[in-house]
Amino acid sequence: MRDKPLIDKYFEQHHYEASDNCFTTLFMWQDPYGIRWAEENGVLYIQGGGKREPFLLPPFAGKDAKFLDGLLRAKEWFVENKLPFRFKGVSKDVKERMEDLCPGRYVFTPDRDNYEYIYKSEDLINLSGKKFRQKKNHLNQFRMQYSNYEYVPITDDIIPLCRETAASWVETHHEEGIEDELVAINLLFDNWDVLGLKGGAIKLFGRVEAFSIGELLNDRIALIHIEKANPDIRGLYQAINNEFIRHEFSEVEFINREEDMGLPGLRQAKESYNPDHFAEKYDAVYANEADNATGGK
């Protein structure tokens, strides 16, 4: 946590759209994804993948450093550690920059399962038009059936109720890595004030049945880190999505609701909200296959 100001400094110099470029994302997933970082000569390097499949994000060059120097130093790091070269989380803009600086040097592969869904805030709030008719119907039915529901911001007195809801949600889901998600959620609550997060919850009969956690990624995009709801209550997911953005991020142009991880049900759900565009991500390796085994030495 004490490294937050330094890492934020690098991210704030650019208008990144992806959740990888956010301190909170790195912090909450640091253990399951083996996140490590280093700073050298005005460039920030971030490693993920742990020991099994280590990779680097593209280097983050500060205002007085050169991106190309970061690329060359990353190459050296792979060589020094006897690891195959691999960048992940390469944005479309960074991909174009790498191609301009090093023509023909890299091969880029779209990482569709990790594309992040970017929506217009006004679409998620208003749900206007035919393409949102089903979502609006679900929301209206929820509001009619549960007219006594209460939307509340997440504060210290609400956090224990949200922890209980998260634990209950994990008990009814058995996907791989679900326990890691509960650890990540509790890590956010443990560091709520320092991280500067925003949160909202829906209460029914004194119990938190849904909650969402997010923050501003930059002045144009808000990032939703967590959204949980009781799946047995029809329209509840639509309600927490709508209420949270309407109360906390109505002045922001776009909302990033992160990736679908290649899960068919999650992909269908995210696509059904009609994203404005994607934060595309690419994997990058060297065009010369022999270079990948040595880091491009």
Side-chain angles (χ1 to χ4, degrees), residues 127-138 140:
L127 299 175
S128 301
K130 184 178 180 180
K131 62 183 180 180
F132 290 107
R133 182 180 299 166
Q134 188 176 31
K135 298 294 182 186
K136 196 156 193 174
N137 286 341
H138 286 315
N140 288 337

Side-chain angles (χ1 to χ4, degrees), residues 1-2 4 8 23-24 188 190-197:
M1 185 60 72
R2 66 177 179 272
K4 186 179 188 302
D8 283 344
F23 176 85
T24 301
L188 296 187
D190 290 342
N191 297 275
W192 188 260
D193 292 335
V194 182
L195 288 170
L197 300 170

